[in-house]
Amino acid sequence: MSTAYRNRIQEFKAALSEKHINLETLRELCFNGIPFEGGIRALCWKILLNYLPLDQTLWESFLKKQRDLYSQFLKEMIIQPGIAKANLGLSREDVTMEDHPLNPNPDSRWNTYFKDNEILLQIDKDVRRLYPDMAFFQRPTDYPSQLILDPQNDYETLRRRVEQTTLKAQTVNRNRSGVTNVSSPGKALNLYPSNEYEVLPSGSEAHWEVVERILFIYAKLNPGIAYVQGMNEIVGPIYYTFVTDPNTEWKEHAEADTFFCFTNLMSENRDNFIKSLDDSQCGITYKMESVYSMLRDKDPQLFLKLEEQNIKPQYFTFRWLTLLLSQEFLLPDVIRIWDTLFSDKDRFHFLILVCCAMLMLIRSDLLAGDFTVNMRLLQDYPISDVHTILTKAKELQDTS
């Protein structure tokens, strides 16, 4: 470890030891990357994502309250409905039409239960494939949820619900372009050959199952947006950062802390996931066009070339912006980009600068390429050095 890096760690420790944290100072430090050592990055993200209050004296009581609240969500949204489902058919005496699974009323709890299962299937499919190039999400967590795995709770778990759920006719998935993919229920439920994922022993749960639970609770608490494919790519790096925290008393509560930080980040980013807002000023279309507007100002020649070739921003920036570049780089690089994004006050404007920088850094290739070559470049971005990209984005910010 170099002396400069050691000094940098000391600067972070000094900033984080203040009774009342100076957010401006912390933002400036974090902008150039946050050290992993000593759990500094995980702690900084919790502050930058507006989860932890700036007054450290409040942390203990605040964290206890939030983690208790998350336990309550697990009880109300997973365990209690699961107990009701497990008990169904054990006793016939008190089953009223209101309680009956065949009750046609759209507000009945069973109708809600079955609708939730459709969302759960989509989440399940996505989280099992989270970062497939890493074994991490398939491995068991060091801190499985005692509440979820408590043998006293005889209930239908999310894992069991996925195994049991068969949609009556077909599984229908609609993507953001409105295209409907119809597949047979058999195919939908046989996505994972039994040898693809190791079955963990009783009392263990894989990291992807924890992520699944976080997304399911989020969907239940936010019915207006529920779950949209891609949210798994946003929650993944946050959970990974918190659950690899070397500080065990933080690591133990990674699930609850991830849930609240993800919820806060989504409160800023959720409009990108709501199709009805796509063309509004807060929607994704406006943001995609902002990348091209900035490019027109910064590099008119490159902008005209892309226009000439009819390469529209939605062909590639939709994924870049919605998923905060999480699909374009390896996980450690995504985390490094997010250090800077989270530390910038106007983080989503800085993301547009990063996208513009990414285009300008491959300008010679784009100016030389035809439509097919350029589309391939933009959909499989060739530069892996994120430091170069962030430096260029900062340069654009300073000259705008």
Side-chain angles (χ1 to χ4, degrees), residues 265-285:
L265 184 57
M266 283 303 297
S267 70
E268 301 173 31
N269 195 36
R270 62 180 278 157
D271 293 349
N272 290 348
F273 287 89
I274 300 174
K275 192 163 174 31
S276 59
L277 293 178
D278 277 0
D279 297 320
S280 71
Q281 196 158 350
C282 56
I284 188 66
T285 306

Side-chain angles (χ1 to χ4, degrees), residues 23-24 26-34 45 48-49 336-347 350:
L23 189 56
E24 276 312 301
L26 190 67
R27 281 188 199 280
E28 280 172 35
L29 276 174
C30 294
F31 191 84
N32 295 313
I34 309 171
W45 278 23
L48 295 172
L49 290 171
R336 171 62 195 90
I337 291 170
W338 286 17
D339 285 346
T340 298
L341 280 185
F342 293 168
S343 64
D344 193 81
K345 246 186 294 214
D346 194 358
R347 49 182 140 248
F350 193 79

Side-chain angles (χ1 to χ4, degrees), residues 15 42 60 77 95 100 157 159 208 216 250 273 281-282 289 339 389:
E60 196 179 333
M77 291 169 213
V95 177
H100 201 283
T157 59
R159 192 190 292 187
W208 68 260
F216 183 72
W250 287 100
F273 287 89
Q281 196 158 350
C282 56
E289 284 166 359
D339 285 346
I389 295 165

Side-chain angles (χ1 to χ4, degrees), residues 62-77:
F62 172 80
L63 288 167
K64 184 180 183 323
K65 180 170 73 78
Q66 294 303 98
R67 290 159 179 174
D68 288 350
L69 178 61
Y70 186 73
S71 294
Q72 199 53 42
F73 292 156
L74 294 182
K75 286 175 194 161
E76 286 175 19
M77 291 169 213

